[in-house]
Amino acid sequence: MIRFSELMSGQTLLPIIQADTPEQGVKIAQAMANAGLTLVEVVLRTDASLDALKAIKEQVPALKVGAGTVINTDILEQALAAGADFIVTPAVSPQLLAALTKCNVPVLPGVSNTGDILMALEYGFEEQKLFPASLAGGAPFVSAVSSVFRAASFCPTGGVSEQNKMDYLSLNNVFAVGGTWIANKEWVAQENWQAITDSCIQALK
């Protein structure tokens, strides 16, 4: 099984796409690809999300496209059937983790406390998403658990911004950060795709 960090190929930003239509999702994804990104996460929070994921894979083939907000086995099956290149969850449970271990694509399970971290490790997931990072203790929490859970590494998401991303990325147990700030809702509403490209370029510096 390919590790999630290997799939990212050194990309330290996990860009999150929330689309109201497949067409909108493709425009956002193309803007991100224009910045040199090779991997994006489509969060399954709208009725159009799965169709957006499929459309991005078809129309922006340079991108690896994963599914986020996978909270149960039904959604997991739908995401895999749609062709998701990877799976991201906002939380964990024994039932969900058991299903995730059977996936044939990389998985990033979501944790928010030490119990979650331990449970994910018990199921074999050393790479984890800390969510919501800002409310779960932020960079100080990630730093504090590094000596206890030495095998675990994190992709903090939730409250991460251009201003605080380096607080996380400077830590040895953080391999990437995720966020929506690079695709501001106002830019999407205004169809200002260049602003998204510029924001992604800045985030990759």
Side-chain angles (χ1 to χ4, degrees):
M1 174 65 70
I2 299 175
R3 289 169 67 90
F4 190 83
S5 59
E6 292 175 20
L7 189 70
M8 294 193 72
S9 302
Q11 183 175 307
T12 57
L13 172 68
L14 177 59
I16 296 171
I17 295 175
Q18 182 168 330
D20 294 323
T21 66
E23 294 78 15
Q24 188 182 76
V26 169
K27 291 289 189 180
I28 297 170
Q30 186 61 65
M32 291 177 171
N34 290 344
L37 292 170
T38 61
L39 177 148
V40 299
E41 172 191 343
V42 176
V43 288
L44 306 185
R45 298 179 187 173
T46 70
D47 293 339
S49 297
L50 284 171
D51 287 335
L53 188 155
K54 294 177 187 176
I56 294 168
K57 284 184 64 68
E58 291 172 0
Q59 298 181 45
V60 196
L63 289 176
K64 299 181 186 76
V65 188
T69 324
V70 174
I71 59 173
N72 58 48
T73 55
D74 288 341
I75 297 174
L76 174 60
E77 290 174 5
Q78 293 172 28
L80 293 173
D85 293 313
F86 59 89
I87 298 293
V88 181
T89 80
V92 289
S93 72
Q95 182 179 356
L96 183 56
L97 284 166
L100 292 171
T101 62
K102 300 172 185 176
C103 284
N104 59 357
V105 298
V107 173
L108 192 66
V111 301
S112 63
N113 55 55
T114 52
D116 289 348
I117 295 171
L118 180 58
M119 181 162 55
L121 286 171
E122 288 177 346
Y123 279 84
F125 296 103
E126 294 184 346
E127 295 181 342
Q128 306 171 8
K129 162 184 164 177
L130 180 68
F131 177 81
S134 61
L135 300 178
F141 173 81
V142 180
S143 178
V145 300
S146 63
S147 61
V148 181
F149 301 106
R150 295 172 65 185
S153 58
F154 301 94
C155 176
T157 303
V160 180
S161 66
E162 181 65 32
Q163 288 69 40
N164 66 11
K165 67 176 184 179
M166 289 311 301
D167 294 345
Y168 295 101
L169 289 172
S170 63
L171 301 174
N172 292 333
N173 58 340
V174 170
F175 63 89
V177 294
T180 57
W181 84 89
I182 34 76
N184 186 291
K185 289 182 179 179
E186 290 185 5
W187 300 337
V188 174
Q190 297 164 359
E191 299 187 355
N192 187 353
W193 313 123
Q194 186 60 46
I196 294 175
T197 299
D198 293 344
S199 181
C200 289
I201 291 172
Q202 178 63 34
L204 290 172
K205 290 181 179 179

